[in-house]
Amino acid sequence: MTVRPARKQATLAGMPIMVETSELYRRLAEAAAEGADRERLREMVSGPARPDAAARTAGLDLAHLRAWFYANEKSTLGEADLNGCVSRAYGRSLAELVDAPEFAAARAELSDRLLAAALRGDAEGTAERDLLDAKLLALAASAEAAGQERSLGDVMSAPATLPSFLGRLAPAPASAPAPPAPAERDDEARAWLDDLGRAHRELLRLVHDDRHLVFSSVTAAAVPGAAEPPEAASAEPTLSADAVAGLGEETRGVLDRLGLLAGDLRPFRAIPAVEAELHHAAGQVAADVRPAGTLAFDGGEIDLDRFHRAMNAPGEGLAAGPPPPAPQHSAAGVADLLVVRQKIKAYELGEFAHVENIMAGETRERSTRRLTQVEVTTEDETETETEKERDLQSTERDELQNEAEKHVKSQLDIEAGLQVSGSYGPAASFSSSVKAGSSTSTEESQRKASSFSQEVTQRTAEKVRERVRSLVRRRTLEEFEETNRHAFSNSFAKHVRGVYRWLNKVYDAQVFNYGQRFMFDFVVPEPAAYYLYGLVENPPQDSELVKPQAPAMPDGQPLRPSYLTRGNYTEFVARYRVVNAPAPPPSTRTVTFSDKQDGTTTTNFGRAGKIDIPEGYTAKSVTVQATHLFEAGSVHNFHIVIGGQLYIYTDIFGAKSGTASGEKELSISIAVTALCWSVGVDVECVVTPEAEARWQQSVFDAVIAAYQQQLAEYNERAAQRELQRSTNQQFGRNPLVNRRVERDELKKWVIMMLAKKPDLNLDSFQPPVPKTPPEPVLDLDKANANGTFIRFLENAFEWQNMLYVCYPHMWGRRARWISALNITDPDADFAAFLRAGAARVQVPVRPGFESAVAYFVYTGNIWDGNDVPRIDDDLYVPIIDEITTNLGKLDNGVPYPAGSKPWEVVVPTDLVLVQDVSDVPPLRDALKPAAPVALADGSEDGRDDAAADAPAGSGAGHEVASGR
């Protein structure tokens, strides 16, 4: 059905309700004549709130006129007696009321209010009453010309006309091309990452080239009281002035941003700083970790990678230029509503899909078993033992011994005794005696001893024992076993042949005419765009099968180990979910050595040893710090040899730097004649290209291993799904459900185009309150406004009679063509909808809503009342009049053309039916056109298969061989 444009025809003049002398009317008319668009006029009518109902008609109360209208709606004008009503209500005649200044002011105020409602909408809900009041005042002003015999209702039902300039407004100016958006954060981070990578490579190149290093010294005379060097001085090697001047612009920008360009450029400090910033910047760049994959939905599939590329692709071809000026609304016209009704009638056998042959006595059975077992055992053991022992003993002894001895001894002995004896009687006797003695002896002894000795013993024992053992064991056992006993067994003595044939649907289709309708015609681009987007972003459960993409660079080149850098390897690690990815080795490392000797006498000392260089690094510079003490006027020497280069510190102390070369170790020897001394050595090492290549290879191996693991999982799941498909045939979705999906998607796009809203987001809830449960709370004002919008668009159109046809994918974005070709579905119509590049849609207006829809299209506002004002426009008026004066409106559809009968429509399907080969028409042999084929199972037309089958088979083989 094609919508035809409205035919221009004579129409009844509408009731003039606008007062062209009002201030707002004049300003709007002048602005429209100067080319102002609708938005400009809306800005002109926006302002402070309107006066209340009592004051909005300039002091003229129109309630009396409204009451008179409702009481006399079915009467003639003569019977209604407008003069009497005015005389009773306002105390003056009708002519005096019309000539009164308040009458003119009331008409001007109502005119302005209706103009404002037409431009910005009826937010106050008074437009219907204002229109009635404006009509009543217009009737009062022209009562004599209206005719006294006409019905008051008929006079007032004449549509009111709004100014014609509302229908001839200039289209909204095409929005100027948006200025280029500033670089997003990710783009800035990626550019900064690239600059850091370039600076890092350039600095390493200069360090590897020894010609660009400048070695310096910071020393002072080893004499007491001599001037000491400044504390801020350093002997670290720097880059030469020519090397700094030759740095690239990006490298200079990086060094300046990191604060490394001021003063001397010390590469062994700059490189680690750049490396740390490189590591940080790599984490700020958003890696595209979306894998390529296949999305299955209800029997169809879509390639995710191509879909995302199509969604993000810039405009190409015809769409790359500026679009043509868009009309204010979609094409509208009048047409008979012709609807094709179809009903399933039968199924029809189609062509052969497959032939299955089971020979006599043959049995075939399919069984599938898959077992994936991965076992990885990695054992690394490192043992390092270092033992160093040094024993130094020094003894000094001074002894002073004086000895004197004096011994004094004194001894006194006293002895006394008394003895008495006697007797009494002849036998008694008595005797007495006294005894005394004295002895003296003196002895003196004194001894003094003094001894001084010093013994120094220094013993150094260093023993390092390191043992590292790393054991990684991973065992993955994944077993999938499915036994599909789809067996073919032929126990008969003859061959069995089964034919699978396609099934087609046969419909009875007929066109029905539902009368004329006010029709809108749209061309919707890519009608399934949002449906596919929803499937990709929120796929059905267990429907997404992700196929990993082979590692490649952004330009499509296959990944190579040399392409991996410190800045981009994290993207591959994230994309392929690499576990235990090796971190890049530091570009520079510092190895130190130190030795010292304490003493109080001038002695000759000698040391010899080595400085181990880490594996994968090479020494580039040596910085020696040395100092010693010696007695004034005595012989002293201080010589250090490192890696074949001599450093003399006999009369100085401080730091010196020099070149060094070696990838495993550097020898060091020290010869000193002094009281005490100390030496510290810093060896700056740079990673070798071989070590960098080994790291790149290890990351590459890890990425490839992760990719192969994901690919194996994908292949396993794909095989499982394919097996399931072969056993459980995919029937897709009910076609009636698909038709509903198609209509809902098309309805959504049509409403957006009708309402000129590219984003249909009707939010009727209040925003959530912070720190409270996010419960949905209605916003009543929004809910009422959205409800009015929804109710009007749902009721004003016959969505159930919407007609549409899908156009091929070539009318959509070119970047989407390949993706559209891969979309399939058992429902052929739904597959066409999903692949469509555009769709033509015709939507009929529900009878009775023609004026309201036309008003909505012209003004963008919804008229909720019954008496809709019309725009005085050449297109507006004929369409409405043609619809409203249609005498052939049909309530129910009738066949079109009259007396027509249904016709059959054959629709192909993906269904197959097994049929015995004997049921098909006779087969012909291309080598024997005159004779029908004889089959061993007796299905040949009345012939003996046993006699005909074997010779025919051997003869056919012979003839084919000879023909070749």
Side-chain angles (χ1 to χ4, degrees):
M1 178 185 65
T2 301
V3 176
R4 61 174 174 83
R7 294 188 297 265
K8 188 170 178 59
Q9 57 188 23
T11 57
L12 297 175
M15 181 176 291
I17 60 173
M18 294 289 106
V19 180
E20 300 182 3
T21 58
S22 71
E23 178 64 24
L24 178 61
Y25 188 100
R26 288 199 304 270
R27 289 193 293 111
L28 293 177
E30 292 174 358
E34 294 174 357
D37 60 358
R38 191 174 305 279
E39 290 301 324
R40 176 69 184 116
L41 298 189
R42 285 177 178 172
E43 294 176 0
M44 294 175 64
V45 301
S46 61
R50 295 288 177 178
D52 55 16
R56 71 170 182 263
T57 53
L60 185 64
D61 187 6
L62 301 181
H64 304 289
L65 290 178
R66 288 195 296 271
W68 168 80
F69 167 72
Y70 292 131
N72 299 279
E73 185 176 0
K74 297 182 179 180
S75 304
T76 64
L77 285 177
E79 295 171 349
D81 189 15
L82 180 59
N83 283 311
C85 172
V86 171
S87 176
R88 291 188 300 271
Y90 301 103
R92 64 186 83 176
S93 67
L94 179 60
E96 291 174 345
L97 178 65
V98 172
D99 294 336
E102 59 267 24
F103 184 87
R107 291 198 69 184
E109 174 65 23
L110 288 171
S111 176
D112 292 347
R113 290 180 61 82
L114 290 173
L115 279 174
L119 288 170
R120 69 179 184 181
D122 183 20
E124 302 173 5
T126 59
E128 183 77 10
R129 184 170 59 180
D130 290 340
L131 180 61
L132 176 61
D133 292 345
K135 282 188 173 184
L136 290 172
L137 294 182
L139 175 63
S142 60
E144 295 180 359
Q148 299 298 311
E149 294 78 13
R150 295 182 60 188
S151 168
L152 176 60
D154 292 341
V155 173
M156 294 295 291
S157 63
T161 56
L162 296 175
S164 59
F165 65 77
L166 289 179
R168 297 192 297 268
L169 290 176
S175 57
E184 299 180 356
R185 181 177 179 182
D186 183 58
D187 296 334
E188 294 178 357
R190 188 170 294 278
W192 174 238
L193 183 64
D194 294 339
D195 291 344
L196 286 168
R198 281 189 288 268
H200 186 262
R201 290 190 297 271
E202 188 169 5
L203 290 175
L204 275 179
R205 178 179 57 81
L206 294 175
V207 169
H208 276 292
D209 191 347
D210 299 331
R211 298 174 300 173
H212 300 293
L213 290 179
V214 177
F215 302 99
S216 60
S217 62
V218 182
T219 59
V223 177
E228 297 183 355
E231 294 181 357
S234 175
E236 292 183 57
T238 60
L239 284 180
S240 64
D242 293 340
V244 175
L247 291 175
E249 183 178 352
E250 294 84 359
T251 302
R252 297 183 67 87
V254 168
L255 296 177
D256 183 61
R257 182 171 172 178
L258 296 179
L260 301 172
L261 201 57
D264 295 333
L265 181 56
R266 302 173 183 176
F268 294 104
R269 291 192 183 185
I271 291 176
V274 172
E275 205 166 273
E277 183 64 22
L278 188 68
H279 178 74
H280 174 73
Q284 301 301 313
V285 176
D288 185 9
V289 297
R290 294 178 306 186
T294 301
L295 177 68
F297 54 95
D298 298 321
E301 291 185 351
I302 184 172
D303 187 285
L304 296 179
D305 183 62
R306 289 192 176 98
F307 178 84
H308 286 299
R309 288 204 303 267
M311 294 299 103
N312 298 327
E316 299 178 8
L318 297 175
Q328 288 299 306
H329 55 79
S330 299
V334 177
D336 289 334
L337 178 57
L338 304 178
V339 180
V340 179
R341 303 294 184 188
Q342 62 183 18
K343 183 178 181 181
I344 187 71
K345 179 180 181 181
Y347 281 88
E348 174 185 87
L349 284 175
E351 298 181 0
F352 284 15
H354 176 66
V355 177
E356 188 70 49
N357 299 302
I358 307 99
M359 298 180 66
E362 179 184 10
T363 300
R364 283 183 292 147
E365 181 176 304
R366 180 181 178 182
S367 179
T368 303
R369 182 178 185 272
R370 287 185 174 87
L371 176 64
T372 302
Q373 184 171 351
V374 179
E375 184 169 355
V376 178
T377 303
T378 303
E379 185 169 350
D380 299 328
E381 184 169 351
T382 303
E383 185 170 350
T384 304
E385 184 171 350
T386 303
E387 185 171 351
K388 184 190 299 183
E389 184 172 344
R390 183 175 61 197
D391 191 345
L392 176 64
Q393 182 169 347
S394 176
T395 302
E396 296 184 8
R397 182 180 300 275
D398 289 330
E399 293 186 3
L400 176 62
Q401 183 169 350
N402 297 320
E403 186 172 345
E405 186 171 344
K406 181 179 180 181
H407 182 72
V408 178
K409 183 178 180 180
S410 177
Q411 182 178 0
L412 176 61
D413 294 333
I414 298 175
E415 183 179 350
L418 174 63
Q419 182 175 2
V420 179
S421 64
S423 70
Y424 297 93
S429 63
F430 179 85
S431 67
S432 173
S433 65
V434 176
K435 181 178 181 184
S438 177
S439 174
T440 301
S441 174
T442 300
E443 183 178 353
E444 182 177 347
S445 177
Q446 183 178 2
R447 186 171 181 177
K448 181 179 181 182
S450 178
S451 176
F452 174 79
S453 68
Q454 179 180 6
E455 183 173 352
V456 177
T457 300
Q458 179 175 347
R459 181 180 180 88
T460 301
E462 179 180 355
K463 187 172 184 179
V464 179
R465 184 182 180 91
E466 179 182 1
R467 183 176 181 181
V468 179
R469 187 170 185 265
S470 175
L471 178 61
V472 178
R473 288 183 180 174
R474 180 170 64 92
R475 187 174 185 270
T476 301
L477 177 62
E478 181 178 350
E479 185 172 353
F480 168 74
E481 182 173 357
E482 178 174 344
T483 302
N484 176 18
R485 299 190 179 278
H486 187 188
F488 295 98
S489 178
N490 185 2
S491 58
F492 301 99
K494 59 182 181 179
H495 306 321
V496 176
R497 302 177 182 89
V499 180
Y500 291 84
R501 298 182 65 181
W502 295 110
L503 277 181
N504 300 325
K505 294 181 181 179
V506 181
Y507 289 90
D508 270 346
Q510 189 172 11
V511 179
F512 289 86
N513 186 357
Y514 287 84
Q516 287 190 350
R517 293 290 194 276
F518 184 18
M519 307 286 292
F520 281 85
D521 195 295
F522 302 88
V523 175
V524 177
E526 297 183 18
Y530 200 88
Y531 179 80
L532 294 176
Y533 171 79
L535 285 177
V536 170
E537 295 301 321
N538 186 24
Q541 187 177 7
D542 297 333
S543 66
E544 188 174 11
L545 181 60
V546 177
K547 181 179 182 179
Q549 192 176 21
M553 300 299 291
D555 59 358
Q557 291 290 332
L559 181 64
R560 297 180 181 178
S562 58
Y563 292 165
L564 292 167
T565 65
R566 299 169 186 267
N568 67 4
Y569 86 98
T570 54
E571 295 186 17
F572 294 96
V573 169
R575 181 180 304 169
Y576 294 98
R577 302 187 294 275
V578 180
V579 180
N580 297 325
S587 298
T588 62
R589 289 186 63 177
T590 302
V591 180
T592 61
F593 173 87
S594 62
D595 202 350
K596 70 182 182 65
Q597 179 62 60
D598 298 327
T600 57
T601 60
T602 301
T603 312
N604 296 325
F605 302 96
R607 296 283 195 274
K610 65 178 182 179
I611 303 175
D612 293 326
I613 305 300
E615 183 180 359
Y617 289 83
T618 179
K620 283 298 177 182
S621 73
V622 171
T623 302
V624 182
Q625 303 94 24
T627 182
H628 66 293
L629 297 180
F630 56 89
E631 295 177 347
S634 63
V635 177
H636 59 280
N637 291 290
F638 198 172
H639 296 168
I640 305 172
V641 181
I642 301 177
Q645 183 153 341
L646 175 63
Y647 297 87
I648 301 177
Y649 282 87
T650 299
D651 297 317
I652 60 174
F653 73 94
K656 291 182 181 182
S657 62
T659 62
S661 62
E663 294 188 2
K664 292 185 178 180
E665 61 185 24
L666 287 178
S667 60
I668 180 172
S669 61
I670 305 172
V672 186
T673 301
L675 294 174
C676 63
W677 55 271
S678 63
V679 173
V681 179
D682 294 334
V683 181
E684 300 293 348
C685 306
V686 181
V687 66
T688 62
E690 293 79 8
E692 190 83 9
R694 285 196 299 270
W695 169 75
Q696 291 174 325
Q697 185 65 48
S698 61
V699 174
F700 177 81
D701 293 342
V703 170
I704 294 300
Y707 160 70
Q708 291 176 343
Q709 176 67 21
Q710 294 179 10
L711 184 62
E713 295 174 359
Y714 166 80
N715 291 333
E716 182 68 23
R717 290 190 57 194
Q720 294 178 19
R721 191 165 75 172
E722 185 64 26
L723 182 61
Q724 292 172 358
R725 284 187 173 183
S726 64
T727 55
N728 302 322
Q729 187 175 4
Q730 297 297 309
F731 300 105
R733 190 163 50 187
N734 191 314
L736 295 180
V737 177
N738 291 337
R739 300 295 85 77
R740 181 177 298 177
V741 171
E742 295 166 6
R743 291 182 175 275
D744 289 345
E745 290 299 307
L746 291 171
K747 180 180 178 180
K748 175 176 60 182
W749 297 123
V750 166
I751 290 176
M752 290 181 183
M753 298 174 75
L754 270 173
K756 302 178 181 66
K757 293 180 179 292
D759 183 15
L760 193 64
N761 182 16
L762 302 182
D763 186 359
S764 300
F765 294 89
Q766 298 180 7
V769 180
K771 299 182 180 179
T772 59
E775 298 178 359
V777 179
L778 271 180
D779 187 320
L780 296 181
D781 294 336
K782 292 182 180 179
N784 291 330
N786 292 336
T788 301
F789 180 78
I790 295 170
R791 182 176 61 249
F792 173 76
L793 288 176
E794 285 289 346
N795 296 335
F797 296 91
E798 293 182 332
W799 297 107
Q800 72 277 8
N801 291 328
M802 180 174 62
L803 305 176
Y804 59 93
V805 58
C806 295
Y807 295 150
H809 63 274
M810 63 183 179
W811 300 115
R813 288 168 290 184
R814 184 182 181 89
R816 185 179 170 269
W817 287 5
I818 298 178
S819 177
L821 289 174
N822 292 335
I823 298 178
T824 60
D825 194 88
D827 186 349
D829 292 335
F830 191 61
F833 168 75
L834 297 177
R835 292 193 298 264
R840 183 182 177 186
V841 185
Q842 289 183 354
V843 184
V845 177
R846 189 182 301 276
F849 281 82
E850 295 86 1
S851 296
V853 171
Y855 181 86
F856 173 77
V857 170
Y858 271 86
T859 66
N861 302 315
I862 295 173
W863 186 271
D864 279 333
N866 295 320
D867 189 8
V868 184
R870 72 183 185 188
I871 307 297
D872 189 9
D873 180 78
D874 292 340
L875 176 63
Y876 188 120
V877 177
I879 291 180
I880 303 303
D881 288 348
E882 186 172 352
I883 294 297
T884 56
T885 58
N886 178 20
L887 299 179
K889 187 174 71 170
L890 303 174
D891 293 330
N892 296 314
V894 296
Y896 178 86
S900 62
K901 301 298 182 181
W903 72 93
E904 289 187 353
V905 178
V906 179
V907 179
T909 71
D910 289 338
L911 303 176
V912 293
L913 180 69
V914 179
Q915 184 182 23
D916 192 276
V917 73
S918 61
D919 297 334
V920 301
L923 304 178
R924 295 188 304 176
D925 191 342
L927 301 178
K928 294 181 178 181
V933 175
L935 303 177
D937 55 3
S939 62
E940 195 269 330
D941 296 337
R943 294 192 307 152
D944 184 11
D945 295 336
D949 191 32
S954 59
H958 175 73
E959 292 181 15
V960 170
S962 62
R964 291 179 183 176

